[in-house]
Amino acid sequence: MTSIGGAEMVDWKLAVATATRFVRPGPEVSREEARAVVAELRRHAATSEEHVRAFTRMWPGEGKGEGSDTPVLVVDRAGWIKANVAGFRAILGPLLEKMQDRRANVPGGAVFGAVGGKVTGVELGMLLSFLASRVLGQYETFAPPSRDLPGSATGGGRLLLVAPNIVHVERELDVNPHDFRLWVCLHEETHRTQFTAVPWLRDHVEGEIQAFLAETDVDPATLLERIREAAQSLAGGRPPEEDGGDEGGRSIVDLVQTPAQREILGRLTAVMSLLEGHADYVMDGVGPQVVPSVAEIREKFQQRRAKGAGRLDAALRRLLGLDAKLRQYRDGERFVRAVVGEVGMDGFNRVWTSPNTLPTKAEIAKPADWVARVHRHTEP
């Protein structure tokens, strides 16, 4: 794939091997406890499906929407790494082909060619090793199915629950483990419901991502250097920025934006804010009915989100753009809560009618504007 003279832009196998080698070990659990956690997460995932769909009034769609065969996979950190490398390889293919074509014709291209895909694989692996210990769950929309990581038979998609991370956080927060596991499943099941109940959503998001990547105009050496900065911060080889200046505040995404990309990114940000905020809203809406300690869990988890895990974690979150993801949770949840409060759940669900009814980035901040735009033609 995307090779010249046998040299790949990214050595994907090495990325998996590096990430697996450097990822932090999970919490200590006995074999019996591990089996119990896996079994409980699977039960909670099945239960969450019923709760989420009843609360949201969203049901599996027709046509391209993945149905109830979308698998739930309880994985360890290595399993999460393998799944995400497969996803990156699928979604980044067009961009890597473009960069491969440019590699010999740009400043630094010859050096990059000499370095080859192995260094890139190592750097990517270092970043994945950092992220692999932090993700509790993930609905994978684009990753191709494999023997070890099956997907939906009707077009892809699978729900990953990262068992060691869930156990780690529930211990760190000192909350009821059974309640916390169900609470996490409610959030992740909402994402699965969003894509299975809205047939066009997957293609729309993928189209926006590919449009963003198609506009990317960055030489391979620059991108590699930015990935290396993140990895070196992770390894302690370079002190993170403390002054919050331009360089310290720039993420990887910021560095590759053209004017066209900024427009696309605005739409993607609005969609992701909607999806993440909707999941948080549903998680809290269903929670009081089925999770007795939901108030305590939410308070402690919000505090954990806000403070991160120290100076190094904050620097990497900024560099990778993860701070923007935290804002998406907050802004999106406020949008959903405001719209449901004004027009009810059925009125909110008009957001899933078509890409034209998705909120804009400005409407995420001003929910009343979305209500006026989408509902004005149908009000008496």
Side-chain angles (χ1 to χ4, degrees):
M1 172 183 169
T2 61
S3 63
I4 293 179
E8 286 189 323
M9 290 289 292
V10 180
D11 188 327
W12 299 105
K13 290 183 179 180
L14 185 57
V16 171
T18 301
T20 303
R21 177 183 177 185
F22 286 100
V23 70
R24 297 176 181 177
E28 293 186 7
V29 295
S30 66
R31 181 172 298 182
E32 292 74 18
E33 185 179 2
R35 289 174 177 170
V37 170
V38 171
E40 184 173 22
L41 287 172
R42 287 174 176 160
R43 291 196 303 271
H44 284 333
T47 301
S48 296
E49 182 177 358
E50 301 173 6
H51 291 310
V52 168
R53 290 180 175 173
F55 182 81
T56 62
R57 303 174 195 174
M58 297 173 67
W59 309 98
E62 301 292 335
K64 294 183 180 180
E66 299 100 70
S68 58
D69 64 331
T70 305
V72 177
L73 307 179
V74 182
V75 298
D76 58 12
R77 291 171 177 174
W80 181 88
I81 288 167
K82 291 177 182 177
N84 276 266
V85 167
F88 286 150
R89 187 170 188 173
I91 203 71
L92 293 178
L95 174 61
L96 294 181
E97 289 177 359
K98 179 179 179 179
M99 292 175 65
Q100 187 80 36
D101 290 341
R102 294 188 56 189
R103 187 168 70 178
N105 302 315
V106 297
V111 175
F112 188 91
V115 171
K118 292 191 178 299
V119 169
T120 316
V122 169
E123 307 291 9
L124 177 60
M126 291 295 294
L127 292 182
L128 287 172
S129 72
F130 168 77
L131 296 172
S133 63
R134 285 158 171 77
V135 176
L136 301 182
Q138 174 182 350
Y139 182 75
E140 276 205 313
T141 312
F142 308 114
S146 66
R147 183 181 61 183
D148 297 331
L149 296 164
S152 168
T154 55
R158 56 189 172 222
L159 181 61
L160 305 180
L161 297 170
V162 190
N165 295 352
I166 293 173
V167 172
H168 171 78
V169 174
E170 70 192 25
R171 291 178 178 179
E172 178 186 337
L173 298 181
D174 190 23
V175 294
N176 183 291
H178 309 293
D179 285 0
F180 184 75
R181 294 166 196 173
L182 177 55
W183 189 71
V184 171
C185 287
L186 289 170
H187 180 99
E188 302 307 332
E189 176 58 39
T190 302
H191 287 316
R192 182 165 71 152
T193 296
Q194 290 162 349
F195 283 92
T196 58
V198 184
W200 53 265
L201 184 58
R202 179 182 183 275
D203 288 344
H204 174 72
V205 173
E206 183 176 17
E208 292 282 56
I209 292 173
Q210 291 299 341
F212 181 89
L213 294 177
E215 290 289 335
T216 297
D217 187 19
V218 59
D219 66 90
T222 299
L223 186 59
L224 176 60
E225 175 60 23
R226 185 54 50 169
I227 294 174
R228 182 173 292 116
E229 286 183 18
Q232 288 177 344
S233 293
L234 181 64
R238 179 175 301 178
E241 300 286 346
E242 293 183 310
D243 59 7
D246 290 341
E247 189 67 17
R250 299 170 78 188
S251 71
I252 290 174
V253 172
D254 292 331
L255 292 178
V256 298
Q257 284 188 51
T258 65
Q261 281 181 308
R262 284 192 288 272
E263 182 178 344
I264 298 168
L265 189 62
R267 296 196 299 268
L268 274 171
T269 299
V271 172
M272 298 312 298
S273 296
L274 171 68
L275 298 180
E276 297 292 359
H278 184 235
D280 267 13
Y281 176 81
V282 172
M283 180 170 58
D284 289 344
V286 176
Q289 306 169 34
V290 297
V291 182
S293 59
V294 65
E296 177 191 4
I297 291 173
R298 165 55 87 183
E299 181 180 1
K300 290 183 175 180
F301 194 76
Q302 289 287 62
Q303 292 173 354
R304 182 179 184 274
R305 267 185 185 171
K307 71 180 182 181
R311 178 171 171 263
L312 174 59
D313 185 79
L316 281 165
R317 285 193 312 175
R318 183 174 63 243
L319 181 61
L320 297 173
L322 299 182
D323 282 339
K325 185 174 179 64
L326 297 181
R327 290 193 296 272
Q328 289 171 7
Y329 285 107
R330 296 191 298 266
D331 297 345
E333 196 275 340
R334 284 195 293 264
F335 171 84
V336 176
R337 186 173 300 279
V339 172
V340 173
E342 184 167 348
V343 297
M345 185 62 74
D346 289 335
F348 166 80
N349 279 342
R350 293 187 188 178
V351 77
W352 313 116
T353 303
S354 75
N356 292 330
T357 57
L358 291 172
T360 64
K361 189 176 179 180
E363 288 171 340
I364 289 287
K366 295 183 178 180
D369 291 352
W370 179 87
V371 172
R373 177 172 67 86
V374 173
H375 286 260
R376 63 188 175 191
H377 297 300
T378 56
E379 296 297 331

